[in-house]
Amino acid sequence: MIGKILGTIFGSMFGGIPGAVLGFMVGHFFDKGYRQDFNQKGGFSRFFSTEEALKSQAIFFHCLFSVMGHIAKADGKVSDSEIRMASTLMDQMKLEGEMRVEAQQAFRDGKAASFPLKQTVKDFKESCHGRRDIMQVYLEILIQSAYVDGKLDKAEQVILETVAQYLGFPQRDLLYLLSAFEAELRFRQGGGQQRTGGHSGAYSSQQSLADAYKILGVTTSDDDKSIKKAYRKLMSEHHPDKLVSKGLPKQALEMAKNKAQDIQAAYELIKEKRGFR
């Protein structure tokens, strides 16, 4: 649409009515080519209303579900749990109708031996202008998908390391995200019960506190000021309004909200044990 509008305006400026007609035609072909280019990114483009949203969010979804499919196939076979995980994620993102079909196709595309992992991740990085917080949420969703069967296979970790490298994340940052997610899993399952005086098997209050520190990426030797700083930084990185304004699709916000809740709960536990405000 934007091509036809601009073409008509500039055409009329330099050629009157005939110029406007010619400009409209040229703009039409520009728009057509523009749409086709993004349709090749997974077909999600037609579900967004603006050109910027079309470019970044269509690529986000295609890159997310296709790389998820690639990770699922890393060990040679896509398990039922991995398929259910992809479906559950689509449910959480409220992907329905044609949009869900596109997500399913992207997942299948990622399973192909010829899947262009590097180019796909490069397209995503360019589409979000290298914004680290958006790329980090993307990585966190991939990590969650890789752990769907309760463990991380070596082949899956290699792919995650490759994706992180293409996105510009040092290995130490990926290792922190992996460690933090493992801590979050334990914390969700047992930490809340420990804090309220319940029992959760072998998961002790000491382990719950240790996982809280891992979630924030700090240690027991860090002072209160450092812990507060780490907490504020993580909450800022996962603030829903900020993420949407930077291009994260609203459908992916639920994942960021869950992460923010874990960060908040971990911080509250540490505050309680340390006795600071």
Side-chain angles (χ1 to χ4, degrees), residues 81-205:
S81 61
E82 288 168 328
I83 294 174
R84 286 195 299 270
M85 172 275 303
S87 295
T88 298
L89 183 56
M90 293 175 200
D91 290 338
Q92 292 174 346
M93 292 183 174
K94 295 181 173 58
L95 302 184
E96 301 174 345
E98 290 186 63
M99 199 170 185
R100 192 181 186 93
V101 172
E102 295 290 354
Q104 292 168 338
Q105 183 58 52
F107 189 82
R108 287 192 291 269
D109 290 343
K111 295 189 294 182
S114 59
F115 176 65
L117 178 62
K118 183 175 183 178
Q119 186 61 49
T120 300
V121 176
K122 180 182 177 183
D123 288 342
F124 164 62
K125 183 177 182 179
E126 290 178 352
S127 75
C128 67
H129 308 291
R131 294 187 177 105
R132 182 183 171 87
D133 40 8
I134 300 298
M135 294 190 296
Q136 181 167 316
V137 170
Y138 168 82
L139 263 180
E140 288 168 350
I141 297 175
L142 285 183
I143 290 171
Q144 176 176 318
S145 71
Y147 274 92
V148 67
D149 55 359
K151 64 183 187 303
L152 183 67
D153 295 329
K154 180 60 179 177
E156 294 171 335
Q157 181 168 341
V158 168
I159 292 177
L160 287 173
E161 290 173 349
T162 302
V163 171
Q165 180 183 356
Y166 291 156
L167 292 176
F169 281 71
Q171 187 178 31
R172 66 177 181 276
D173 290 354
L174 175 64
L175 292 177
Y176 157 66
L177 293 177
L178 292 172
S179 174
F181 181 73
E182 291 176 350
E184 287 165 31
L185 285 179
R186 295 188 297 267
F187 196 75
R188 291 174 195 170
Q189 295 167 0
Q193 295 180 27
Q194 289 292 344
R195 292 194 302 278
T196 57
H199 299 282
S200 55
Y203 192 74
S204 67
S205 58

Side-chain angles (χ1 to χ4, degrees), residues 34-69:
Y34 193 69
R35 287 195 301 272
Q36 288 176 343
D37 177 57
F38 288 113
N39 280 337
Q40 293 172 0
K41 303 302 184 183
F44 290 100
S45 56
R46 62 181 176 274
F47 301 107
F48 303 101
S49 57
T50 66
E51 300 295 350
E52 183 62 25
L54 179 152
K55 179 180 179 181
S56 62
Q57 298 186 21
I59 295 176
F60 178 94
F61 279 114
H62 182 262
C63 187
L64 176 63
F65 285 103
S66 60
V67 176
M68 281 172 56

Side-chain angles (χ1 to χ4, degrees), residues 5-21:
I5 293 173
L6 293 177
T8 302
I9 292 174
F10 286 109
S12 62
M13 288 173 60
F14 295 102
I17 293 177
V21 173

